[in-house]
Amino acid sequence: MKNDIRTPSAVERLKEIIRDVPDFPKKGIVFKDITPLLADHAAFSETVRLLADNYKGRGITKVMGIEARGFILAAPVALALGAGMVPVRKKGKLPYRTISASYSLEYGEDTLHVHEDAVGRGEKVLVLDDVLATGGTAGAVCSLAEKLGGKVESVAVLIELGFLDGRKKLAGRDVFSLIKY
Ligand code: AMP
């Protein structure tokens, strides 16, 4: 078994720099604002290193990043792993033919799209986002990867809101978070 790379000191440093913004985008939500982390070279590079190190040697060929903050993490992690990066976007944003998956939100539904040729049959996929909350978003992206014939190796997030139990929606999947609240 590999040593856990999430040493308390590394995780504490990142935790300190993430900003809580209460009541954004609506009352009752505490938004985890990662922009101070992105603006700090040491913290940003440490984040990318810790995420990528967890997946070195696991044969990942595509990293799927979820609009919009997931893109910021997925691109450097993909480069560090020698993999390609696949943007997963809201409706109407991708120019070529897409497939889509819908998932439930607090009220109603939302839909995510990916280009139909973005993941090849048998490719090993890492799904990456900034925050895992209820798990609906990450679950929808896993289903997109699998519809294209990919194999989801893991779901990785910088921040997991454990009290929302997102892992339940991802049951049976490998889930890795750097920071847990
Ligand atoms: P969910 O589908 O409930 O797991 O929500 C995850 C998505 O919503 C991610 O793309 C996050 O960027 C965003 N999100 C949910 N809750 C928060 C939060 N408290 N702070 C920042 N982003 C959040």
Side-chain angles (χ1 to χ4, degrees), residues 69-114:
R69 291 176 298 281
F71 296 168
I72 301 169
L73 299 173
V77 169
L79 292 178
L81 291 175
M85 189 271 177
V86 173
V88 178
R89 303 209 62 179
K90 303 272 167 67
K91 189 174 164 43
K93 301 285 189 187
L94 287 167
Y96 186 58
R97 288 199 298 268
T98 63
I99 63 159
S100 65
S102 295
Y103 59 102
S104 47
L105 297 169
E106 206 176 338
Y107 322 107
E109 278 211 329
D110 212 344
T111 304
L112 287 170
H113 289 247
V114 69

Side-chain angles (χ1 to χ4, degrees), residues 130-148:
D130 63 336
V131 173
L132 177 68
T134 65
T137 309
V141 177
C142 290
S143 77
L144 287 174
E146 287 166 353
K147 268 194 211 172
L148 295 177

Side-chain angles (χ1 to χ4, degrees), residues 22-39:
D23 298 324
F24 182 88
K26 56 186 174 194
K27 213 166 170 48
I29 306 278
V30 179
F31 192 86
K32 296 293 181 192
D33 177 17
I34 64 165
T35 62
L37 182 153
L38 299 173

